[in-house]
Amino acid sequence: MPTESDPVAADHPVTAGRPVAADRPVDADRLPLRRRLLPVIVLLLLAPWAAECSWGGFAIDDFLPVLIFLGPMYGGAAILIRETARHLGAGWPTIVLLAAAFGVLQAGLVDQSLFNPDFLDDTQYADTRAAAEATLVPGLEFSLRQAFDYVGNHIVLTICAPIVLIESFLGPERRLRPWLGRPGLLVVGLIYLLGSLFIFSDINDDKGFLASPLQLAFAAVVVLALVATALLPRWRRPHPRRTRRAPYPLWVGLPVVLVRLGSDLAPGWTGVAIALGLAATVGGLIAYWSSGNGWGQRHVLVAGTAGLVMAAAFAYLVPPYSPASPAAALAGDIAVTVITVALVGGAWWRLRRASPAVHVAVS
């Protein structure tokens, strides 16, 4: 089986033995503008679909409004996170940590769903309020159960899965390099800011809720701590491969599936403890596997999209936010299945066709 001579270098561009940050896309001047912007536009649209539609949150006739109104916020955040990591020459730990920071920012400061006990009362998820209140954090008055769900879904669905999918469709020469320069990043940053302000204003007008200063300060501190951790230099240093072999790529998805199934084993604080323990264990296991020989982009694809596949599979069992006709709800679930299979299957086929083993370091 052919392999690359230096698998670590695939995720960390080096010059004279030292990792360097890429300030602009490789061969950017040689590519037509549409090819340079295509992955950016796709990520702008895929992030809101994965965040809100992939698990059955909306019927099929609401897909387009979701992309239009939530694309600037969700898609903008995904682009900024991906580009920040790739410009720094960092790997997936940075992306995951920045995704967690975005999850807290979104749920704690933008839509403030984390602190608003009435947030879901006008949806078909109003009956989840009692379960959420069973894990309220004293003093801050937010549900740790909801925090795990909200932030975890943003990490897995909004940020990581869309980035993994798009990078898997690209060739190795573009997969780990920035797509945008500084002007492009400024434009995307403005799009994200305007999209977030629009959602904040719309929800504030609709819900009439504003978190307390203590709650807002707590969320801001957590966001800053996660961002500071994500930007540590250690995530930009390549690490030597271990002699152990990475498992077959499909096995990497099994622990992620177990997290999804095990996170709802028990109610209350016991259930939260189990969910957090499973997530930490699986994260450590994937980090352990990724340091072995043979770890490649197909492993990354399975690890990053297993949560999306599980969300699509369970979409048939959950209602959309707003009541919809059975036909529209079913059509939406079928569309989710078709889109998910096409994206994940197409990315897998693309990697198999490109190379049997395309290695990527995950720090």
Side-chain angles (χ1 to χ4, degrees), residues 104-113 115 200 215-217 219-220 223:
V104 177
L105 175 67
Q106 176 63 31
L109 299 176
V110 179
D111 63 33
Q112 300 186 15
S113 56
F115 302 118
F200 171 80
Q215 291 171 327
L216 296 175
V223 170

Side-chain angles (χ1 to χ4, degrees), residues 50 99 150-162 256 303-308:
Y150 292 165
V151 177
N153 283 338
H154 280 309
I155 294 173
V156 174
L157 298 180
T158 309
I159 306 299
C160 291
V256 181
T305 60
L308 177 66

Side-chain angles (χ1 to χ4, degrees), residues 43 72-87 98 159 163 180 184-193:
L43 184 53
M73 180 177 63
Y74 287 147
I79 295 167
L80 291 174
I81 288 171
R82 191 263 173 199
E83 291 298 288
T84 297
R86 298 316 184 196
H87 271 282
L98 289 176
I159 306 299
I163 293 175
L180 297 172
L185 289 176
L186 288 175
V187 172
V188 174
L190 180 61
I191 290 174
Y192 166 72
L193 180 60

Side-chain angles (χ1 to χ4, degrees), residues 185-208:
L185 289 176
L186 288 175
V187 172
V188 174
L190 180 61
I191 290 174
Y192 166 72
L193 180 60
L194 292 176
S196 297
L197 289 174
F198 170 77
I199 296 300
F200 171 80
S201 176
D202 182 66
I203 291 181
N204 184 262
D205 291 341
D206 182 45
K207 307 289 185 180

Side-chain angles (χ1 to χ4, degrees), residues 24-147:
R24 61 187 303 176
V26 173
D27 297 330
D29 295 333
R30 302 180 186 177
L31 291 173
L33 180 62
R34 66 178 183 276
R35 287 196 60 191
R36 280 184 277 150
L37 293 183
L38 181 59
V40 178
I41 295 172
V42 174
L43 184 53
L44 189 70
L45 299 175
L46 184 56
W49 179 86
E52 297 292 352
C53 302
S54 67
W55 53 273
F58 288 92
I60 191 169
D61 49 356
D62 289 325
F63 280 15
L64 183 58
V66 167
L67 300 185
I68 293 174
F69 292 106
L70 299 182
M73 180 177 63
Y74 287 147
I79 295 167
L80 291 174
I81 288 171
R82 191 263 173 199
E83 291 298 288
T84 297
R86 298 316 184 196
H87 271 282
L88 293 174
W92 278 98
T94 293
I95 293 177
V96 171
L97 287 167
L98 289 176
F102 165 73
V104 177
L105 175 67
Q106 176 63 31
L109 299 176
V110 179
D111 63 33
Q112 300 186 15
S113 56
L114 186 61
F115 302 118
N116 184 359
D118 304 325
F119 190 80
L120 297 175
D121 282 359
D122 58 351
T123 73
Q124 296 199 88
Y125 293 90
D127 58 351
T128 64
R129 180 168 182 167
E133 291 179 343
T135 58
L136 284 180
V137 177
L140 292 169
E141 300 305 315
F142 73 89
S143 168
L144 194 59
R145 171 80 257 181
Q146 284 186 333

